[in-house]
């Protein structure tokens, strides 16, 4: 199975559909999913793809076709999942500070729901009592993740119900008869250290006994994938082993079997994505060689927003001798993709490919500076398919009311 996209194919796609263009490799997504299944084979685990990473409907359908479930972070994502053909049993809605009406809609659609505030939990209990199993998202007060912006489980995070408020949750359960089936945590994104997941498991297993009807422990997403050359991601095999062991020990001790859920986003799609751009302008100054590309923070904001590193390859001139470049965008802001990066010599018109562009890249794109959002292409069995056309001027005006 070919899991590497050739530069020739990326070049061909750029010629056919122009640049900038996002290219996703279906078999790479499948490879990642199969690696998860293998690593966790000894545990009772279900995976829900965190759709927020990339929601193109063809990607959602592909993920479904390989047997993966889906995790949603808005009611619109839930609706997209339904459109993509997922059944309610395979859809999870992990909510975060949302209006209760979205939870009502999710309930009516029959999907799994994780609730993250006492306020919504109370409304849920008062309205549905014991009739509908529900999950609660806890804040375990664990610091985790690649940087503070993507760290969600620490003691000043807005996410989840703080662990120290469990008494209130228990009182609510008693008062309204809530059927708590799932305890959920998600401590952050890009968690390399298996020990961090182990701490999360430890925290949850200490409190599961308080919920006699519990069936599922949901450990969220956050598996790290390598972005930099020579960087390592989470040791999935070690984590799979750890999860199997911990839950087996728990079962022996308590007689209770718990299913484990995970919600991987980046792990599923990050490495499958390649963002193909071309060089508009070269500019030399005393300090820097600038390579200005035909995109910017409007299309891929991760380097500017999180300081994230993305590998960038010059696929038009790969064997040229190296020079140092600041690779910058065309937006009227400082949108630097890479600073002082050693690259094969760049010429105007060269194609530069930003790697690891599957997760949170197109998904966080905007129309800033009234730029069009790029096209998206999915490569399946070596064949490229357009799955979203590039926008045009009409798209910029859609929904606007021309008052004058
Ligand atoms: N589950 C929940 C409840 C989440 O909030 C998230 C991500 C995930 C699962 C998936 O996490 P992953 O496996 O992708 O790390 N835009 C940022 C990442 C934000 C993640 C938000 N929540 C970035 O580009 O790094």
């Amino acid at each position: 199975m070919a899991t590497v996209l050739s530069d020739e194919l990326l070049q061909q796609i750029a010629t056919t559909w122009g640049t900038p263009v996002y290219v996703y490799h279906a078999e790479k997504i499948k490879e990642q999913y199969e690696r998860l299944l293998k690593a966790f084979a000894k545990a009772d685990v279900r995976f829900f793809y965190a759709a927020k990473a990339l929601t193109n409907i063809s990607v959602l359908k592909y993920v479904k076709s390989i047997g993966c479930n889906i995790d949603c972070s808005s009611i619109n994502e839930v609706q997209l999942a339904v459109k993509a053909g997922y059944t309610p049993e395979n859809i999870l809605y992990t909510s975060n500070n949302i209006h209760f009406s979205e939870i009502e809609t999710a309930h009516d659609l029959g999907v799994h729901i994780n609730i993250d505030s006492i306020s919504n939990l109370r409304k849920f209990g008062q309205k549905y009592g014991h009739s509908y199993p529900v999950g609660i998202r806890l804040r375990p007060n664990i610091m985790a993740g690649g940087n503070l912006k993507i760290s969600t489980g620490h003691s000043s995070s807005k996410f989840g119900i703080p662990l120290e408020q469990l008494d209130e949750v228990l009182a609510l359960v008693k008062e309204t008869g809530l059927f708590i089936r799932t305890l959920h945590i998600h401590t952050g994104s890009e968690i390399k250290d298996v020990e961090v997941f182990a701490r999360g498991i430890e925290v949850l297993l200490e409190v599961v006994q308080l919920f006699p009807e519990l069936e599922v422990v949901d450990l969220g997403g956050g598996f790290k994938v390598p972005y930099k050359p020579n960087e390592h991601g989470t040791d999935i095999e070690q984590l799979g082993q750890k999860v199997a062991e911990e839950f087996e020990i728990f079962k022996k001790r308590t007689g209770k079997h718990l299913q484990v859920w995970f919600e991987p986003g980046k792990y599923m799609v990050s490495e499958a994505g390649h963002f193909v751009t071309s060089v508009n302008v070269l500019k030399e100054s005393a300090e820097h060689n600038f390579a200005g590309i035909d995109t910017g923070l409007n299309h891929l904001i991760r380097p500017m927003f999180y300081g994230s590193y993305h590998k960038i390859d010059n696929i038009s001139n790969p064997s040229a001798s190296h020079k140092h470049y600041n690779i910058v965008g065309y937006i009227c802001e400082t949108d630097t993709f890479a600073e002082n990066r050693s690259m094969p010599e760049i010429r105007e018109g060269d194609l530069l490919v930003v790697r690891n562009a599957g997760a949170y890249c197109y998904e966080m794109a905007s129309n800033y500076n009234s730029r069009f959002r790029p096209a998206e292409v999915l490569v399946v069995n070596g064949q490229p398919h357009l799955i979203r056309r590039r926008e045009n001027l009409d798209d910029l005006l859609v929904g606007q009311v021309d008052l004058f």
Side-chain angles (χ1 to χ4, degrees):
M1 182 170 60
T3 47
V4 176
L5 271 194
S6 72
D7 291 347
E8 289 70 35
L9 185 56
L10 293 175
Q11 253 149 0
Q12 188 191 315
I13 290 168
T15 305
T16 309
W17 286 291
T19 61
V21 57
Y22 276 99
V23 183
Y24 311 119
H25 189 189
E27 283 75 28
K28 179 65 185 168
I29 298 176
K30 187 165 174 218
E31 181 187 84
Q32 292 295 99
Y33 181 55
E34 285 176 349
R35 201 176 145 200
L36 287 177
L37 290 180
K38 198 162 160 224
F40 287 85
K42 289 200 195 125
D44 182 10
V45 170
R46 279 178 83 185
F47 296 99
F48 293 75
Y49 162 57
K52 65 179 74 85
L54 180 62
T55 55
N56 185 295
I57 193 86
S58 299
V59 171
L60 299 187
K61 287 184 177 179
Y62 180 77
V63 169
K64 178 180 171 287
S65 78
I66 59 175
C68 190
N69 310 291
I70 189 162
D71 171 50
C72 304
S73 59
S74 72
I75 197 66
N76 298 344
E77 282 185 2
V78 173
Q79 301 284 12
L80 283 178
V82 170
K83 254 192 201 314
Y86 291 81
T87 52
E89 163 57 19
N90 302 119
I91 302 175
L92 170 62
Y93 182 13
T94 299
S95 65
N96 157 44
N97 297 325
I98 60 171
H99 193 268
F100 185 64
S101 57
E102 288 198 19
I103 295 181
E104 290 175 305
T105 308
H107 167 277
D108 295 348
L109 288 168
V111 307
H112 303 286
I113 306 168
N114 288 329
I115 295 183
D116 82 317
S117 67
I118 299 242
S119 164
N120 275 337
L121 197 61
R122 177 175 297 109
K123 290 173 193 152
F124 196 88
Q126 284 166 353
K127 180 149 187 187
Y128 304 114
H130 192 263
S131 68
Y132 197 94
V134 72
I136 45 179
R137 178 173 184 170
L138 293 174
R139 192 188 74 191
N141 303 332
I142 292 174
M143 184 56 92
N147 64 65
L148 195 58
K149 277 206 178 99
I150 55 175
S151 178
T152 51
H154 57 84
S155 58
S156 46
S157 163
K158 69 164 186 172
F159 294 96
I161 299 174
L163 206 55
E164 55 276 18
Q165 288 171 17
L166 263 185
D167 283 351
E168 259 183 85
V169 171
L170 292 171
L172 263 183
V173 172
K174 210 167 164 198
E175 181 192 319
T176 62
L178 277 160
F179 177 176
I180 306 295
R181 181 165 64 187
T182 304
L183 288 186
H184 170 280
I185 55 170
H186 169 79
T187 54
S189 197
E190 297 185 28
I191 306 168
K192 178 167 185 303
D193 200 353
V194 168
E195 273 314 302
V196 172
F197 289 98
R199 274 196 6 247
I201 294 172
E202 200 183 315
V203 168
L204 283 180
L205 290 185
E206 265 171 34
V207 298
V208 293
Q209 298 287 52
L210 301 172
F211 301 93
E213 294 180 297
L214 208 77
E215 293 165 11
V216 177
V217 164
D218 180 347
L219 297 171
F223 305 149
K224 179 172 169 49
V225 294
Y227 278 82
K228 293 183 183 157
N230 305 321
E231 195 180 39
H232 294 287
T234 314
D235 186 337
I236 291 299
E237 287 73 23
Q238 192 195 344
L239 181 59
Q241 187 69 26
K242 182 91 191 156
V243 167
E245 277 168 22
E246 289 301 324
F247 283 85
E248 193 49 41
I249 293 170
F250 178 79
K251 189 174 170 183
K252 285 215 172 91
R253 184 160 60 80
T254 62
K256 190 165 180 74
H257 173 78
L258 290 171
Q259 191 171 64
V260 182
W261 291 3
F262 282 106
E263 303 156 0
K266 276 181 190 151
Y267 191 84
M268 290 286 287
V269 296
S270 175
E271 292 162 283
H274 308 258
F275 186 42
V276 187
T277 72
S278 61
V279 178
N280 283 341
V281 169
L282 290 178
K283 228 185 243 186
E284 285 186 13
S285 73
E287 291 120 65
H288 299 296
N289 295 317
F290 291 101
I293 54 181
D294 61 352
T295 180
L297 61 76
N298 53 326
H299 296 155
L300 199 162
I301 201 172
R302 300 192 72 256
M304 306 88 196
F305 197 49
Y306 306 112
S308 304
Y309 180 100
H310 283 259
K311 187 168 183 288
I312 302 177
D313 291 317
N314 182 353
I315 63 168
S316 300
N317 204 16
S319 43
S321 54
H322 278 226
K323 287 173 75 172
H324 285 83
Y325 292 95
N326 277 15
I327 299 170
V328 294
Y330 62 7
I331 288 294
C332 297
E333 300 260 358
T334 302
D335 52 351
T336 305
F337 285 84
E339 214 168 329
N340 209 22
R341 181 84 55 94
S342 174
M343 303 266 302
E345 184 179 358
I346 297 176
R347 304 157 305 182
E348 290 186 358
D350 279 357
L351 295 177
L352 302 191
V353 181
V354 184
R355 307 292 184 178
N356 277 66
Y360 309 104
C361 291
Y362 187 95
E363 209 54 33
M364 294 176 77
S366 74
N367 288 118
Y368 188 39
N369 280 193
S370 295
R371 292 287 179 185
F372 306 140
R373 270 179 288 217
E376 292 180 290
V377 169
L378 182 65
V379 177
V380 191
N381 293 325
Q383 288 305 310
H385 304 271
L386 186 70
I387 55 169
R388 187 193 307 255
R389 64 161 174 77
R390 188 178 310 288
E391 288 179 336
N392 57 40
L393 207 56
D394 288 338
D395 293 315
L396 293 186
L397 293 164
V398 163
Q400 293 193 37
V401 176
D402 187 352
L403 198 52
F404 302 105

